[in-house]
Amino acid sequence: MKKILLLCSAGMSTSIIVKKMQDKAKADNIEAEIEAASVSKFNELIDNYDIFLLGPQVKYMKDELSKKAALKGKPLDVIDFKDYGKMDGAKILEFALNLTL
């Protein structure tokens, strides 16, 4: 099971995307736990997840957080702003599952 965490300013705007990603995972029989949180919780949650996605509004934190994630052997990247704007859960799930270090 893959554990995916979406991080944004407050953890609220990504909640709709999380639901769409969960629906797609369920429809495709993909075992995934997908949640959202505020980026301020990253350090506290890093050990609990396998993959991290940043909302476009916090992409300026990518370099700093990528280094921390890489030290734990975990990928981190920014959700494409177009997919985020469309709330394309299927495309974002595919992006997450294809991330590697």
Side-chain angles (χ1 to χ4, degrees):
M1 162 152 349
K2 291 291 182 187
K3 295 177 78 175
I4 303 167
L5 185 63
L6 280 67
L7 299 159
C8 69
S9 297
M12 297 179 69
S13 61
T14 52
S15 61
I16 296 167
I17 293 172
V18 165
K19 175 72 173 114
K20 290 182 177 209
M21 291 173 70
Q22 290 169 337
D23 291 346
K24 178 63 175 166
K26 185 175 181 180
D28 290 355
N29 293 316
I30 296 169
E31 289 190 32
E33 179 181 318
I34 308 163
E35 296 182 19
S38 166
V39 73
S40 65
K41 302 233 179 213
F42 177 76
N43 290 328
E44 144 187 358
L45 297 172
I46 192 168
D47 291 326
N48 301 338
Y49 293 88
D50 305 310
I51 300 165
F52 299 92
L53 296 177
L54 297 178
Q57 69 273 37
V58 292
K59 70 179 178 181
Y60 67 93
M61 300 181 78
K62 180 184 177 188
D63 289 343
E64 171 192 346
L65 299 181
S66 290
K67 290 174 189 171
K68 291 178 181 180
L71 289 173
K72 299 277 186 172
K74 300 177 182 196
L76 179 146
D77 209 339
V78 178
I79 299 169
D80 181 272
F81 76 95
K82 290 182 226 152
D83 296 335
Y84 192 91
K86 292 180 194 172
M87 299 208 167
D88 190 338
K91 201 162 189 183
I92 296 168
L93 177 62
E94 180 182 355
F95 174 68
L97 294 173
N98 287 318
L99 282 179
T100 57
L101 272 181

